[in-house]
């Protein structure tokens, strides 16, 4: 069900503490969602995992920056369990 991911789909942040090489390829992932009646079934994690795999294979991306609303605590918990780390809070993101 995830074969047709948008071109902006991505890859897990490995270790943000390491310095990034000058020409490293990075993807940005945002606006992911699962229908309310389909939540709590692991679909969000499958979506992120498949998007990461797709980006690694098709785009040769080795890092993903995932954008998530500060108000979406459920998504934040999922991404943290998957190994994502908070690297920036944008105070202007939601106005």
């Amino acid at each position: 069900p995830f074969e047709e991911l948008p071109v902006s789909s991505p890859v897990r942040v490995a270790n943000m503490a390491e310095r990034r090489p000058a020409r490293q390829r990075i993807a940005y992932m945002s606006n992911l969602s699962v229908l309310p009646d389909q939540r709590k079934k692991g679909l969000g994690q499958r979506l992120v995992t498949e998007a990461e795999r797709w980006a690694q294979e098709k785009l040769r991306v080795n890092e993903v920056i995932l954008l998530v609303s500060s108000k979406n605590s459920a998504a934040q918990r999922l991404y943290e369990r998957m190994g994502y780390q908070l690297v920036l809070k944008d105070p202007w993101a939601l106005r």
Side-chain angles (χ1 to χ4, degrees):
F2 303 116
E3 286 85 35
E4 296 184 28
L5 295 171
V7 175
S8 62
S9 294
V11 188
R12 187 162 303 153
V13 173
N15 185 353
M16 294 300 290
E18 294 178 9
R19 187 171 177 147
R20 181 184 351 238
R23 299 192 71 154
Q24 184 174 358
R25 294 178 62 117
I26 300 171
Y28 296 87
M29 187 171 1
S30 66
N31 300 320
L32 300 174
S33 62
V34 174
L35 293 171
D37 65 334
Q38 296 299 311
R39 292 180 184 157
K40 302 288 186 186
K41 297 180 180 181
L43 296 175
Q45 183 170 349
R46 284 181 50 205
L47 176 62
V48 172
T49 300
E50 187 62 22
E52 292 170 341
R53 184 196 60 74
W54 184 87
Q56 287 173 325
E57 290 177 7
K58 304 292 184 188
L59 302 177
R60 301 290 181 223
V61 173
N62 51 16
E63 184 175 350
V64 169
I65 294 176
L66 193 145
L67 309 175
V68 61
S69 169
S70 60
K71 296 179 180 180
N72 192 344
S73 58
Q76 288 176 30
R77 285 190 303 274
L78 169 64
Y79 303 144
E80 287 171 4
R81 282 195 313 268
M82 295 183 74
Y84 284 88
Q85 302 170 0
L86 177 64
V87 293
L88 173 71
K89 283 189 176 185
D90 184 355
W92 296 96
L94 293 174
R95 289 180 241 158

